[in-house]
Amino acid sequence: MYLVVIAWLYVTVLMAVAEATAVNGTVLGAIVTFVLYGLLPMSIVIYILGTPGRKRALRAREQAAAAQADQAMHAAQAADAPASARQPDAGGHAPATAEDGVVAPVRKEP
């Protein structure tokens, strides 16, 4: 992409030099030629062709910020949680059952 831009600016510089050194030409005309045929169109082309890259960079920044916020939230939750919640099943004990069988088993209705 930049090779085309450099080549076009080279062409417009040569056009401006030809305008300035011509018998009827002026330096003001050369400057106007360079700006209107070279700088202005190429700046628009670079801006338009750079849009996808800017969108990717913006999305990457948003994702990084969201990941950082999510990580900070999880870190804060982990710091506030009791030790048993931070390390589930760390005791090595079997899960407890209901005492004296007071909890009825779940079954289908007849």
Side-chain angles (χ1 to χ4, degrees), residues 69-109:
D70 190 40
Q71 185 180 19
M73 183 183 67
H74 286 304
Q77 287 177 349
D80 293 341
S84 61
R86 280 184 265 147
Q87 299 174 356
D89 298 330
H93 300 288
T97 61
E99 292 183 22
D100 300 327
V102 291
V103 178
V106 177
R107 58 185 172 145
K108 290 185 176 181
E109 292 290 325

Side-chain angles (χ1 to χ4, degrees), residues 8-96:
W8 183 251
L9 289 177
Y10 176 74
V11 168
T12 55
V13 165
L14 292 180
M15 290 171 53
V17 168
E19 175 78 26
T21 59
V23 177
N24 299 3
T26 62
V27 175
L28 180 62
I31 293 171
V32 170
T33 298
F34 181 68
V35 169
L36 293 181
Y37 285 120
L39 290 181
L40 184 65
M42 286 300 107
S43 64
I44 293 170
V45 166
I46 289 173
Y47 180 77
I48 290 172
L49 293 179
T51 299
R54 286 192 309 275
K55 284 184 180 180
R56 276 192 303 271
L58 179 63
R59 250 184 271 123
R61 280 194 306 265
E62 288 173 352
Q63 287 176 351
Q68 185 178 10
D70 190 40
Q71 185 180 19
M73 183 183 67
H74 286 304
Q77 287 177 349
D80 293 341
S84 61
R86 280 184 265 147
Q87 299 174 356
D89 298 330
H93 300 288

